[in-house]
Amino acid sequence: MAACLRSERCLIGIFLALIFIVPLWQVITELRRGEKPQALDVLRQKPTAANLRAYERDLEDASEAVKLARPWAQYAQFAWFKDGGEKAIVGNDGWLFYGPGVHCLTERQDARKGNTSVHQALEAIVSFRDQLAARGVQLLVVPAPNKESVYPERLTRRLAQPGGIVSEDARALLSGLKQAGVEVLDLWETFAAAKSGTNGNSPSYLAQDSHWSPSGLAIAARAVAQRIAEERWLAPGQVEYEVRQMTGSRIGDILRMLKVPALERRSPAERILCQQVVHRSDGTAYRDDAASEVLVLGDSFSRIFETDEPGSAGFIAHLAKELRRPVTSLVNDGGASTLVRQELARRPALLAKKKVVIWEFVERDIRLGTDGWQMVRLSEPRNSP
């Protein structure tokens, strides 16, 4: 009995010591840095519920103890319990999925959170199409499916469906665009056909990354070029390109989003075989041409392997190869819904001599796009009254 009491007192003592030592350590650290103790901020504002919640969050973000313990807690949470928190969802066979994108696919429509709605996206796209048409420029909209839409069986076998899943938002957007007469490419069908065909053994998306793989981006580029050829929006190109095999390694963006260095060090990088696009005549890597008749607007799906390692091996370069002509591109990570159009409005010269604009944006940005789907007014065409 006495031993039991001593153990309880010992635990109580440790608990009380932690209660006092952690804030004392924080105060001493802040004073050494010449800062005022952040704990006193509670006395500088009204004690409303919102202010107290903000105060609590600020204390947690500034806490040296939290900064020290959080990475190890996150590592244990992921490594032991297969829980990646809000950003990462652990699927089957080592595949990782971007949490917010999965929520767009799996949550009930009335429970979804987002910056915008399908209706706003439709209005913005139709307005952009009309403005380009006034300049004699054809728009082709190319939504890039979320990884989980193409490979739901890698997320959970309960979602396994032949060919993948098209979310309610994506179905509504595709339907609305077709009804409005906007040219749109259905890559859900394209990737479903690839899964069931000869490309089925080469995944169209990366296992630890939210983006498509070299195989997937090449499939998308061929589909876009085929559509342009079928519609005869451009004359056949004359530039001869070929591909050069490049092997590299990549730590997936979903893994990096966790911001746990120990996890990154202990997770093997994906070995990726890329196809760099080069000029057949001299072997130089593909580069954009500002005078091209084609403009590509895109997000990180257009950036991956294009401007990062190994370079000239992404969607843009492979589209140029399929079209047999260089293109002009304007890319903003996560900003294809609005930011690329705003940049285009600031740089109207990019539309000079253009006949076709290809607008790529990821499926999840229908609801989660940076700055939503704002209406953007381009400068009036030169022949306007």
Side-chain angles (χ1 to χ4, degrees):
M1 185 70 170
C4 217
L5 284 173
R6 283 195 299 270
S7 298
E8 289 179 1
R9 288 171 181 169
C10 183
L11 289 173
I12 292 171
I14 293 172
F15 178 71
L16 292 174
L18 288 174
I19 289 177
F20 287 101
I21 289 173
V22 170
L24 182 61
W25 174 26
Q26 183 69 24
V27 169
I28 293 172
T29 301
E30 290 169 346
L31 289 174
R32 283 181 174 176
R33 292 198 296 247
E35 303 171 358
K36 294 180 180 179
Q38 192 170 14
L40 298 178
D41 288 350
V42 72
L43 304 176
R44 301 188 182 103
Q45 52 192 349
K46 293 181 180 180
T48 64
N51 286 341
L52 290 174
R53 282 195 295 270
Y55 170 73
E56 185 179 16
R57 286 194 299 269
D58 291 342
L59 280 183
E60 182 179 342
D61 291 340
S63 172
E64 296 297 324
V66 169
K67 291 177 183 178
L68 180 64
R70 179 178 286 163
W72 296 105
Q74 288 177 320
Y75 176 78
Q77 178 180 338
F78 185 89
W80 299 345
F81 303 107
K82 306 301 180 185
D83 183 357
E86 295 181 359
K87 292 291 184 70
I89 294 178
V90 181
N92 299 318
D93 306 319
W95 279 48
L96 301 178
F97 294 84
Y98 182 52
V102 173
H103 298 327
C104 288
L105 177 65
T106 59
E107 288 179 346
R108 298 191 318 272
Q109 191 168 15
D110 58 355
R112 292 179 200 152
K113 299 178 181 178
N115 302 331
T116 187
S117 67
V118 174
H119 177 70
Q120 290 171 316
L122 281 170
E123 284 189 330
I125 295 171
V126 170
S127 172
F128 188 56
R129 185 276 310 271
D130 292 343
Q131 292 182 73
L132 291 177
R135 294 158 173 75
V137 180
Q138 175 64 54
L139 174 66
L140 177 61
V141 177
V142 185
N146 288 344
K147 176 180 176 179
E148 56 275 3
S149 296
V150 180
Y151 291 99
E153 72 279 5
R154 299 279 191 168
L155 176 62
T156 171
R157 290 180 174 84
R158 289 178 294 179
L159 286 176
Q161 292 188 17
I165 298 175
V166 183
S167 68
E168 290 183 27
D169 287 342
R171 284 198 300 268
L173 183 67
L174 292 174
S175 175
L177 291 175
K178 291 175 182 176
Q179 290 178 12
V182 177
E183 296 289 344
V184 58
L185 183 64
D186 187 344
L187 285 180
W188 286 263
E189 289 186 357
T190 302
F191 285 128
K195 281 179 67 177
S196 62
T198 56
N199 288 312
N201 293 328
S202 180
S204 297
Y205 284 71
L206 299 169
Q208 295 182 345
D209 203 287
S210 63
H211 299 95
W212 47 28
S213 65
S215 174
L217 64 87
I219 291 170
R222 284 194 296 271
V224 171
Q226 182 178 351
R227 179 67 167 273
I228 291 174
E230 290 172 350
E231 300 293 343
R232 298 184 179 180
W233 291 330
L234 294 170
Q238 302 298 322
V239 182
E240 295 292 336
Y241 294 106
E242 60 186 14
V243 296
R244 180 164 56 205
Q245 302 295 331
M246 305 281 287
T247 302
S249 60
R250 179 181 177 87
I251 296 291
D253 64 341
I254 300 175
L255 197 61
R256 286 186 279 107
M257 287 175 196
L258 298 175
K259 297 182 180 179
V260 183
L263 189 59
E264 290 187 28
R265 290 194 297 269
R266 288 166 173 78
S267 298
E270 287 189 74
R271 297 289 296 173
I272 302 171
L273 178 63
C274 296
Q275 293 186 323
Q276 187 180 57
V277 176
V278 299
H279 287 267
R280 181 170 295 174
S281 58
D282 58 10
T284 58
Y286 166 80
R287 290 294 181 268
D288 279 2
D289 181 359
S292 172
E293 296 178 321
V294 181
L295 172 63
V296 178
L297 305 179
D299 53 22
S300 57
F301 274 67
S302 293
R303 181 261 305 158
I304 188 171
F305 306 123
E306 188 69 31
T307 56
D308 52 7
E309 187 181 355
S312 303
F315 169 75
I316 293 168
H318 278 264
L319 176 61
K321 179 178 75 70
E322 297 295 334
L323 294 174
R324 298 180 64 187
R325 67 174 73 228
V327 304
T328 307
S329 62
L330 182 57
V331 174
N332 186 298
D333 278 17
S337 59
T338 289
L339 299 184
V340 290
R341 288 180 293 125
Q342 291 177 336
E343 181 67 16
L344 181 61
R346 290 189 291 268
R347 301 169 61 188
L350 286 175
L351 280 174
K353 300 181 181 180
K354 298 298 180 287
K355 293 184 178 180
V356 177
V357 170
I358 298 158
W359 187 6
E360 174 273 313
F361 53 83
V362 66
E363 175 189 355
R364 60 180 173 267
D365 279 359
I366 298 172
R367 187 167 295 274
L368 302 176
T370 303
D371 284 357
W373 291 85
Q374 297 180 27
M375 303 294 283
V376 176
R377 179 58 54 186
L378 302 177
S379 59
E380 293 299 323
R382 292 181 179 179
N383 58 356
S384 295

